[in-house]
Amino acid sequence: MLLRTIIICVLLTGVLPARAATHEYTVWLDAELTTLRVAGRLADGSTRSYDVDLDSIDQHRAGNAQTIVVPINQWMRRPRLGGADEVIISFQLPDDIRVSVPWQPLDQDGRRYRLVSSPQSGTGLAVFGRFDEVFVPVADVQMRVASVPSDSDSIPEEMIEWTRQTAENVALAYGRFPNSHARVLLFPARSWWSDSAVLFGRVVRDGGETVELLVDPGGSEERFLGDWTATHEFTHLMLPYVTRSQRWVSEGFAQYYQNVLLARAGHHTAEEAWEKIRSGLEQGRQSSPQLSPNQAARDGIRNSRMKIYWSGAALAMMAEIELRYRSGGALSLDVALDRLEACCLPSRRTWSGRELFEQLDKLIDGDRFVALYDRYADVPGFPDYEKYLEGPEFADIRAAIMARRYTRELGRQ
């Protein structure tokens, strides 16, 4: 297969494909969590070696200074990576010290990892010290979950099971979890301003994909199972990273799917899920009507939050219902994203919104996604979604979208 690829490349371009570069790094850390020593041998034979004083860079010490959280770009001077280039990183740590990084683990001991190119949608975090990290089964993968203690709180064991169940909601789309190497970081926090179980969440794609969740360790099981934030963040993993200037696409798809998946998991009734979508779409319609979705995303979230979060949700819902209606149920947004995961995820680069819609059309051999994008992305106002929510011809489809599902019943569609 490799020889055939090389021959085709030479015939088409007249040049040999660039050879993937493998760099090797070793990282040492002292027991007091004060100094990192990094030594690297690059693919061209050159070397680099340096020490990092952890007290002199941005970091957070937690768990009575037994754990330290450090932005990776503060200590890792990684080489430029492209194509299939990689860095193999080995950690030499004291016996009672562990590390959690977003990269692909190469052993069960958590001491050797593979770093590849990525969109770098934010700054990834490394955690060093005395904390818990476990592998939990999520659909067809083993997902890493690290619990980072604070000075006053730790993560209860039952919260690991909640994390597993919430991540598994995503498999109710097409029967698999979209990333076999995703990592979750759980940070405990108490809040006086919110009664939410999950106070904040985000996905960071920096050498890998990490879901970071700020959670209330005293929250009840009922509050956690009904909270939408974690499901929203896990849903982001079903898409590649879409450029921030068009974030309405990725935020909208996650906003739509969080309600669908919570209904399929049984945490909302179908009626409750559709009412949440209906209410959100109406808020989106009223938000910054003078702006198009692309303008709102470029201008920022301050005054256009609902437009950014619900414009893409409207298009996701409209595409979903039209696909099911036109194909007699053979096609759906689930099917399109199933095929996207099989061909393109996790992606090492940033995508544009239109590029994503073009790819989805290719995967279903249709033109529905690009048609919706071209009609609404740069037009002030809001997508015309009403008939999809109210039309009697779509009633059975709306019921099918929200129908209760079980992961074991699903598979590749």
Side-chain angles (χ1 to χ4, degrees), residues 94-253:
D95 289 341
D96 61 340
I97 299 296
R98 67 190 316 163
V99 60
S100 177
V101 287
W103 313 323
Q104 177 186 349
L106 297 178
D107 60 26
Q108 287 293 320
D109 296 330
R111 300 297 175 101
R112 197 160 179 266
Y113 295 86
R114 173 180 289 115
L115 164 64
V116 298
S117 60
S118 67
Q120 290 187 257
S121 65
T123 299
L125 298 177
V127 184
F128 297 100
R130 298 165 182 88
F131 63 95
D132 293 326
E133 183 174 70
V134 296
F135 284 84
V136 298
V138 176
D140 57 330
V141 306
Q142 294 288 321
M143 188 176 71
R144 290 176 292 152
V145 182
S147 305
V148 183
S150 68
D151 289 339
S152 58
D153 283 310
S154 59
I155 300 294
E157 288 186 11
E158 56 265 28
M159 200 167 290
I160 303 299
E161 173 58 18
W162 162 78
T163 304
R164 185 199 66 77
Q165 291 182 38
T166 305
E168 198 156 77
N169 287 346
V170 178
L172 299 177
Y174 46 76
R176 303 186 311 286
F177 193 74
N179 186 335
S180 59
H181 303 300
R183 176 184 67 153
V184 179
L185 291 181
L186 299 177
F187 297 94
R190 303 281 181 171
S191 170
W192 53 265
W193 74 88
S194 172
D195 62 355
S196 297
V198 183
L199 305 177
F200 175 77
R202 69 169 185 165
V203 174
V204 177
R205 311 185 199 226
D206 182 10
E209 295 184 327
T210 298
V211 178
E212 299 176 6
L213 299 173
L214 199 63
V215 298
D216 179 357
S220 67
E221 180 181 6
E222 182 180 359
R223 282 174 62 203
F224 273 99
L225 291 176
D227 194 285
W228 58 266
T229 306
T231 298
H232 178 98
E233 299 306 330
F234 283 119
T235 299
H236 276 303
L237 302 183
M238 293 199 293
L239 296 182
Y241 178 61
V242 177
T243 179
R244 187 170 180 81
S245 63
Q246 295 183 321
R247 62 179 298 185
W248 64 273
V249 173
S250 54
E251 293 295 352
F253 270 61

Side-chain angles (χ1 to χ4, degrees), residues 24-44:
E24 296 186 0
Y25 278 59
T26 302
V27 180
W28 292 266
L29 175 65
D30 65 335
E32 289 72 34
L33 310 182
T34 59
T35 304
L36 276 175
R37 174 164 293 174
V38 184
R41 178 174 295 278
L42 305 188
D44 62 6

